[in-house]
Amino acid sequence: MMEMKKHQEDQFAKLAVFLSETKQPFINVQTAQITCAMELLKVLPAAQDAVFEYYAKFFDYAISTYLKQLKVQPSWVESSSTSSRLEPPIIPPEIIENVTSIRDVLLRLVEEDHLVWAPVILHWSYKLLGKVSKHYNVHEFARMPLGDMLRFWSQCSVAYILVDINNKTIAKMMKAEGERSVDSMIETMLGYKSSSFEWVLAQIGDSFPSLVIMEMLLCSIKEMCTTKKFKHTEKLNSFIRILDHLSITYFNNIKDVVFKLFKLSLGEEHQKMTVENVAIIPFLLHMAMCSSTLLKSMLCENLTQITPEVLNKLLPLYPQWKKYFDEQCSLLDIMVQVLLNADRGIKHVLNLIFQLIDCEDPKFKILKTGAQTLFELFLAELEYSLRTNRTTPPIVKALVTNLHSIKLYLLSTNINVAQPAARLLSCIAIRDQECLLPYIATMLIECENSTQLETLVEILSFGVNMAHFDGSLVYALAKTDVSLSNVWNNINTLLSLESDPPEGISLYGVSLAVVSHLDKICRSMIECCHSGDMHSAHLLSSILSKIAAKLCMKEMSVPKVLYCVKAAVLYFFTCLFKEKDEMFKLKACLRMNKFVNTVSYRSSIARTAAMKYILDGVLKEPFSLLFVMPDNRRNDYIIQPLEKTSLMGSFLQQEFNLKFGEEINIKFDKNELHPKFKTPVFDAKSVRFNEQRLVSFLRSCYSSDECYSFEPTLDTVVSLALLVVQFVSPDVMYNGLPWPDEDFTKVK
C-alpha cells in the first residue's frame, strides 16, 4: 500500500511539474517534456486533457516553424502551383522525430482500446486541424485554389502526420464498428465554419470518399430543411469545391452516393419518411444547377434503373416539394436548366422522357403529361437560346454525340414521340446543320407510313432545313445495301405536298433537288422495267411527270437527256405490254407523252433519240407484237424471255444494231422453251388501243411548242419518214439521206 501510494504521489508530482513547464511558451524543441507527456497519458488518464493540450501546442509550434521559413523563402509559395517548383522549407529533424513519436503513441492507444481512445483522439485531431488552418489563414497561401492548397499542405510533413492520425483513427472505428460510428464525428467536422478547413475535408475525402461525400450532401440537406429554402452559402461553395476535387479520382463514388440518396427518397411509406428524405430530390436539382460535378453524377447510366414505376412512387411527395421552389424558380424551370447544362448522359434522359411520353398505361397519365410539358418547355428554351445567344448550351454537344439514339424516336409510329424528336433534331441543326443529312436520308429510306412521313415533313419545313434536302437525297441514293422503293414513294409524296402544300408547310425545293438526280431516277426506271417491277416503274413515272415543269427551267446535259428519253420510251412500251388495268395504262401513257414533249421540244437531240428508240421498239420483238392484229400473227404465242436476260436491255446495249433481232433469236429458241415462258398475244381491241397510244406518243415528240399542242411541222414529218426508211431499208440511206440516184420523193 505504501508503495502504491508513493507511486501515485510520484505521478502527481510529475503531472505538477509537467503542467508548470507547459505553461511556458515554446522556445525550442523540448523532447523531455514530450516523453513525460507520453508516460502520463499511459499511466494517468486524468492527465489526458493537459497532455492533449500540450501536444496541440507542440504541433502548432512545429507548423509555425515550417511557415516562418516561408517568409525567408516566399518564392516557394509562388512556385507551388507551377510545374517548376523549388524545394520546400526543411523542418528540423528533431521536430519530425517527436511528431512521429506522438503519432505512434496515439495510434497505439487507438489499437488497444478504440472505444475509449478513438473518439477522444479524433475530436482532438480535427479541432487542432481546424485551429491550425484558421490560425494561418492570414498567409497568402490560404487564398490558393483547393488543389494548390492541398499540394501546399502535403509538403508540410507535420500537417500531413496530423491528418494521418485523423484518418487512421477513423479507419479503425469504421473497421471495428462500421461507418455509422463516425457519422457524428464527420458531421461535426463538416460543421466547421472556416473555409480554410476545406483542405482537411478534402484529405479525409481522399481516404474515405463515399463517407465524406454522403455526409456533405446530408449536411446540406439538413440545412435546407431548416431554412425551408435552398441557399447558396459559403459553406455550400466549400462543399462544391471539395466535390470537384474528389471527382477527379472518385467520380464513381459520387455517382453511387447520389443514387443511394435517390433511393432514400423512395420510402415505401411516405408518411413515415423524414423531412430530410423528402427534401432529397429538390436538393439534388438545386445542386445540379450549382455543381457541374453533381450534374454529371446525376445524368449517368444509373438513370437506366429509373422507370415509370419508380417515378410514380415519387408523385405523393410533389406537394411537399413545392415549398423548396418559388415562382421565379419553379421545379420545371430548374429541370429545364439542368437539361440545358447537361454535357453528358443525355441519352439516358431522352430514353426516360420518351418512354414516359410513349406510355399508354392510365396509371402513368400524370407522369406522361408532365414529361410532355417538360420537353415542350425544354425545346422552346433550347431553340430560343440557339437563335439568340452566341454561346452554345452544353447539351448541344452531347446531343450531337448521341444523335444515333434519336433515330428510333424519329421513326416512331406514335406522333407524340416522333414530332418532339423531329423538333429536337431541327434545334440541333440550328448550330450543326451537317447533322441533318444522314437522318433525313434515313427517313427517306425507312419511312413507311403517314406518321413517319409527317415527321419528315416536320423536319424539312423547320427553318432552313429544306436547303439540305438535296444533300440528304445524295446520301440516300448513294446507299447500295438498301432498296430504293421507299425513297421513290416518299419523294413522290413530297412532290405532291410541294405542289399543294398544307397550311403552314413549305417544301419548296424538293422538285429542284429531284431534278438534279434525274439520271439516277431514269436508270432505276429502266431497271424496274427490265425486272418487271411495274409498281416501282409507275411510281418513278409519276415522279418524272411531277418534275417535268422544272425541266423547262434547267439546261440538261446530253447524257441526262438520253437517259430521260430511254426511260420514257421503255416505260411506255413496258406499260402497254404488262399493265392489265386499261385506265391506269392510259394515264401512264399520257404522263409519258407530256414528259417526252417537255424534254424534246427544245432539244433536237432528244427528239431524234426518242424517235429512234420508238421505231426500234415498234419494229422488233417483243414490243412489235403490241401492234400485230390476231389475223396477222404467226402463232398463238409470243416469247416471254427469262428475267435474267432482258430483251430491252440487249436492245439498249446494241444501240440500234440491225442484227438485233437475229441475235435474240439465237438466244431464245421458240420451239424448245417451256410453256411457262409463253404468254398469249394481244387481241384486236388491245392492238387498236396500242396503235392510238403509239401515234399520240410519236406526235408528242414533235410538238412545235411547250403548250402540248402536238401539231407537227412539215420538217418533223420528213425527219420521221427518213428515220422509218433508215430502219426499213437502210441500204438506200447515206448519212441520214437517200443516195443521189434514189427517187427522193418516195420519202416525202
Side-chain angles (χ1 to χ4, degrees):
M1 290 292 292
M2 293 294 293
E3 291 181 0
M4 183 179 296
K5 185 176 180 181
K6 184 179 180 181
H7 177 72
Q8 289 179 349
E9 289 176 353
D10 290 343
Q11 295 301 326
F12 281 113
K14 287 182 179 180
L15 177 60
V17 174
F18 174 76
L19 291 174
S20 64
E21 290 178 351
T22 55
K23 291 180 180 179
Q24 303 300 322
F26 272 91
I27 300 174
N28 51 33
V29 179
Q30 300 168 326
T31 305
Q33 286 182 332
I34 293 172
T35 305
C36 178
M38 292 179 185
E39 294 175 358
L40 288 172
L41 195 60
K42 295 176 183 178
V43 300
L44 194 62
Q48 71 177 28
D49 289 344
V51 172
F52 278 118
E53 183 180 351
Y54 178 75
Y55 283 168
K57 287 183 179 180
F58 183 74
F59 271 92
D60 185 67
Y61 166 76
I63 292 175
S64 67
T65 301
Y66 170 78
L67 295 177
K68 282 177 182 177
Q69 296 184 55
L70 296 180
K71 295 181 179 180
V72 181
Q73 193 181 339
S75 58
W76 184 84
V77 177
E78 297 171 1
S79 65
S80 63
S81 60
T82 63
S83 58
S84 58
R85 297 177 186 168
L86 302 174
E87 289 296 323
I90 299 175
I91 300 177
E94 57 271 21
I95 292 181
I96 300 297
E97 183 179 346
N98 283 294
V99 167
T100 304
S101 299
I102 293 172
R103 178 192 63 186
D104 295 340
V105 169
L106 295 180
L107 293 180
R108 195 177 305 118
L109 290 173
V110 171
E111 285 293 330
E112 292 173 357
D113 192 349
H114 68 274
L115 292 177
V116 174
W117 288 106
V120 175
I121 294 173
L122 192 59
H123 181 76
W124 169 80
S125 64
Y126 81 72
K127 279 191 67 177
L128 180 57
L129 282 166
K131 180 181 177 182
V132 168
S133 300
K134 186 176 182 181
H135 179 68
Y136 296 110
N137 194 33
V138 296
H139 291 274
E140 60 270 25
F141 58 80
R143 292 183 288 275
M144 295 177 183
L146 178 57
D148 291 340
M149 191 182 295
L150 278 167
R151 284 190 290 271
F152 172 80
W153 280 110
S154 66
Q155 297 291 340
C156 178
S157 54
V158 178
Y160 183 80
I161 289 173
L162 192 54
V163 172
D164 187 48
I165 294 172
N166 192 80
N167 289 347
K168 287 182 177 177
T169 305
I170 293 175
K172 177 60 180 178
M173 290 182 67
M174 289 176 60
K175 182 179 180 181
E177 305 293 332
E179 286 189 6
R180 306 305 302 171
S181 63
V182 295
D183 282 354
S184 59
M185 292 294 179
I186 299 295
E187 185 177 346
T188 306
M189 292 183 196
L190 295 174
Y192 210 92
K193 297 187 181 299
S194 175
S195 60
S196 58
F197 197 61
E198 281 179 31
W199 75 273
V200 179
L201 294 176
Q203 281 279 17
I204 299 172
D206 282 329
S207 300
F208 312 99
S210 296
L211 177 64
V212 171
I213 293 164
M214 176 63 83
E215 292 299 332
M216 282 196 303
L217 295 178
L218 287 176
C219 178
S220 301
I221 291 172
K222 289 178 181 178
E223 287 189 3
M224 188 177 80
C225 293
T226 302
T227 59
K228 300 278 193 302
K229 62 172 63 176
F230 181 85
K231 288 185 177 180
H232 206 121
T233 62
E234 179 56 35
K235 184 177 179 179
L236 185 65
N237 288 336
S238 179
F239 287 171
I240 291 173
R241 287 192 289 270
I242 294 171
L243 278 175
D244 292 341
H245 164 72
L246 294 177
S247 68
I248 299 172
T249 310
Y250 304 106
F251 183 70
N252 287 334
N253 297 73
I254 298 176
K255 289 193 299 185
D256 294 340
V257 168
V258 169
F259 194 64
K260 187 176 180 180
L261 278 175
F262 176 79
K263 288 181 177 179
L264 289 176
S265 65
L266 297 173
E268 295 297 330
E269 298 182 15
H270 291 124
Q271 296 82 1
K272 297 182 180 180
M273 289 180 65
T274 64
V275 178
E276 288 82 6
N277 287 359
V278 173
I280 287 174
I281 300 299
F283 170 77
L284 290 177
L285 288 172
H286 280 294
M287 278 292 287
M289 293 282 291
C290 308
S291 169
S292 60
T293 296
L294 205 65
L295 174 60
K296 293 172 184 177
S297 66
M298 290 169 60
L299 303 180
C300 65
E301 63 276 5
N302 287 335
L303 284 174
T304 58
Q305 301 181 48
I306 301 177
T307 61
E309 289 78 8
V310 172
L311 292 178
N312 204 42
K313 294 180 180 179
L314 294 173
L315 279 181
L317 299 180
Y318 177 70
Q320 301 179 63
W321 291 347
K322 290 183 179 179
K323 61 186 175 185
Y324 299 111
F325 304 96
D326 52 39
E327 294 181 358
Q328 295 180 348
C329 189
S330 68
L331 174 61
L332 284 177
D333 291 337
I334 285 186
M335 293 178 74
V336 168
Q337 291 303 316
V338 165
L339 289 178
L340 288 174
N341 291 320
D343 61 353
R344 65 173 68 185
I346 193 63
K347 66 177 180 180
H348 304 302
V349 180
L350 293 178
N351 287 339
L352 183 58
I353 290 176
F354 283 119
Q355 188 179 358
L356 288 171
I357 294 175
D358 197 28
C359 187
E360 298 298 335
D361 194 327
K363 69 179 181 180
F364 300 132
K365 183 177 180 182
I366 296 176
L367 285 175
K368 178 177 181 177
T369 304
Q372 287 176 320
T373 304
L374 170 65
F375 204 61
E376 284 296 320
L377 290 173
F378 163 70
L379 289 175
E381 190 68 25
L382 177 63
E383 182 179 350
Y384 177 79
S385 178
L386 291 171
R387 292 190 184 281
T388 58
N389 297 339
R390 291 183 179 179
T391 56
T392 302
I395 192 175
V396 174
K397 182 178 179 181
L399 287 170
V400 171
T401 305
N402 294 280
L403 263 181
H404 59 277
S405 62
I406 301 178
K407 174 184 172 183
L408 177 66
Y409 310 119
L410 290 174
L411 295 171
S412 172
T413 55
N414 185 343
I415 193 69
N416 294 324
V417 172
Q419 292 287 0
R423 280 190 59 198
L424 180 60
L425 178 63
S426 298
C427 286
I428 299 171
I430 294 175
R431 290 294 171 87
D432 189 358
Q433 297 181 350
E434 293 299 320
C435 72
L436 279 175
L437 301 183
Y439 290 93
I440 294 178
T442 298
M443 297 198 73
L444 280 172
I445 294 170
E446 299 188 24
C447 284
E448 295 180 343
N449 54 58
S450 59
T451 301
Q452 293 172 336
L453 194 60
E454 188 176 343
T455 304
L456 176 58
V457 172
E458 173 83 12
I459 295 173
L460 292 175
S461 60
F462 184 92
V464 295
N465 288 355
M466 265 308 305
H468 305 284
F469 181 74
D470 188 22
S472 301
L473 191 55
V474 172
Y475 200 103
L477 297 178
K479 288 186 174 291
T480 58
D481 56 342
V482 296
S483 171
L484 294 180
S485 57
N486 265 357
V487 178
W488 305 133
N489 188 50
N490 293 327
I491 288 176
N492 188 47
T493 306
L494 292 175
L495 288 169
S496 299
L497 291 174
E498 181 189 30
S499 58
D500 186 18
E503 185 177 355
I505 299 295
S506 175
L507 295 177
Y508 179 76
V510 172
S511 54
L512 290 176
V514 174
V515 167
S516 62
H517 300 279
L518 193 60
D519 51 345
K520 177 71 174 180
I521 296 172
C522 292
R523 282 198 299 269
S524 296
M525 192 171 179
I526 293 171
E527 291 170 3
C528 291
C529 291
H530 286 171
S531 63
D533 182 6
M534 294 309 297
H535 173 75
S536 297
H538 293 325
L539 192 60
L540 290 164
S541 73
S542 177
I543 292 174
L544 291 178
S545 67
K546 288 174 181 176
I547 63 172
K550 300 294 181 181
L551 298 180
C552 303
M553 304 162 51
K554 189 173 183 179
E555 291 292 334
M556 293 192 296
S557 63
V558 172
K560 190 172 288 190
V561 167
L562 294 178
Y563 262 121
C564 289
V565 173
K566 285 181 182 181
V569 172
L570 179 56
Y571 172 74
F572 173 81
F573 283 122
T574 307
C575 192
L576 291 178
F577 201 84
K578 293 189 174 183
E579 182 58 52
K580 304 302 181 184
D581 188 331
E582 294 296 326
M583 184 56 66
F584 193 90
K585 186 187 297 186
L586 175 61
K587 291 180 180 178
C589 291
L590 292 176
R591 281 202 303 267
M592 286 304 96
N593 290 354
K594 177 67 175 177
F595 179 73
V596 169
N597 172 253
T598 303
V599 174
S600 62
Y601 88 95
R602 289 189 309 172
S603 171
S604 60
I605 296 175
R607 189 179 305 122
T608 303
M611 290 307 307
K612 284 186 177 181
Y613 295 149
I614 293 171
L615 292 176
D616 197 72
V618 169
L619 296 175
K620 295 182 178 65
E621 290 188 6
F623 298 141
S624 62
L625 299 172
L626 290 166
F627 312 102
V628 177
M629 283 293 184
D631 296 339
N632 299 330
R633 65 175 180 256
R634 291 170 294 180
N635 51 43
D636 293 335
Y637 296 92
I638 60 173
I639 302 304
Q640 177 68 22
L642 291 168
E643 293 295 341
K644 291 184 178 180
T645 308
S646 168
L647 280 175
M648 198 59 185
S650 300
F651 156 58
L652 293 174
Q653 293 170 9
Q654 291 292 327
E655 294 293 344
F656 328 120
N657 193 325
L658 296 179
K659 297 183 179 180
F660 172 74
E662 180 181 341
E663 292 182 11
I664 295 300
N665 287 334
I666 294 173
K667 291 182 182 179
F668 300 102
D669 189 341
K670 297 180 183 180
N671 297 325
E672 295 182 2
L673 282 178
H674 192 276
K676 73 177 182 178
F677 299 124
K678 301 180 181 180
T679 57
V681 293
F682 300 93
D683 58 25
K685 181 180 177 182
S686 297
V687 171
R688 283 193 293 271
F689 175 84
N690 295 341
E691 289 174 346
Q692 291 173 356
R693 294 300 96 220
L694 176 62
V695 172
S696 178
F697 197 40
L698 285 168
R699 295 184 67 186
S700 68
C701 299
Y702 281 89
S703 178
S704 58
D705 55 48
E706 58 181 306
C707 296
Y708 200 50
S709 62
F710 292 161
E711 293 296 333
T713 63
L714 179 61
D715 290 339
T716 59
V717 174
V718 171
S719 178
L720 175 60
L722 290 173
L723 282 173
V724 172
V725 172
Q726 184 172 349
F727 273 95
V728 174
S729 183
D731 56 327
V732 303
M733 300 295 288
Y734 176 75
N735 287 340
L737 293 173
W739 283 94
D741 56 345
E742 300 291 338
D743 187 357
F744 186 72
T745 58
K746 293 179 182 179
V747 297
K748 286 190 179 181

